[in-house]
Amino acid sequence: MDAIYTAVATATHGREGRAISSDGKLDLQLAPPVELGGNGQGTNPEQLFAAGYAACFASALGLVGRQAKVDVTEAAVTGEVGIGKQGEGFGLKVTLRVELPDTVDAETGRKLVDQAHQVCPYSNATRGNIDVDLVIE
């Protein structure tokens, strides 16, 4: 694959540091959540992953909606990223909650969400690696 765009960010001091993008537009204090023993005074990698996946999936949904001539511009995608023990290390699980406009019937909505899951780069990167649940609300 030839990259059209490459995002670059640097994190220092792991979960208790700072993450900064190369263009300076992203500059975040990092902190583990209270549930992982942190003070919760910053964002964490799971929040960043949830936001990125939700945004990417919403864009993929818009693409397949336009191709199918179905207006999904008012759709919202909420990403939930869980972290927990997996074997000797840790693993992730994802739930994507897709809220479609009332004008989209259930069958069409399911088809579009499933198609978006096939074209979304985050879905393609995670497929076979972590569980991703797609929930239409």
Side-chain angles (χ1 to χ4, degrees):
M1 175 199 81
D2 290 327
I4 299 168
Y5 167 76
T6 300
V8 178
T10 301
T12 57
H13 305 288
R15 290 177 172 271
E16 296 181 17
R18 187 157 214 85
I20 304 169
S21 63
S22 60
D23 62 5
K25 292 180 182 177
L26 177 76
D27 186 346
L28 299 170
Q29 181 66 43
L30 301 174
V34 173
E35 296 84 352
L36 293 179
N39 65 16
Q41 297 299 306
T43 193
N44 60 68
E46 292 73 35
Q47 290 172 320
L48 295 170
F49 188 57
Y53 201 160
C56 188
F57 197 88
S59 291
L61 183 62
L63 172 69
V64 298
R66 285 188 301 280
Q67 291 172 341
K69 297 185 177 16
V70 177
D71 184 5
V72 292
T73 55
E74 296 302 314
V77 179
T78 300
E80 300 172 3
V81 175
I83 184 171
K85 288 292 282 178
Q86 182 175 314
E88 295 295 316
F90 290 87
L92 299 174
K93 68 176 186 175
V94 172
T95 299
L96 295 177
R97 298 188 184 279
V98 182
E99 190 175 335
L100 294 168
D102 293 338
T103 55
V104 179
D105 66 84
E107 183 179 337
T108 301
R110 173 50 63 189
K111 181 185 260 187
L112 292 175
V113 166
D114 289 344
Q115 288 174 338
H117 193 45
Q118 294 305 308
V119 301
C120 175
Y122 276 65
S123 293
N124 289 331
T126 60
R127 189 170 290 111
N129 298 310
I130 63 174
D131 292 332
V132 177
D133 293 323
L134 302 173
V135 178
I136 299 176
E137 299 185 323

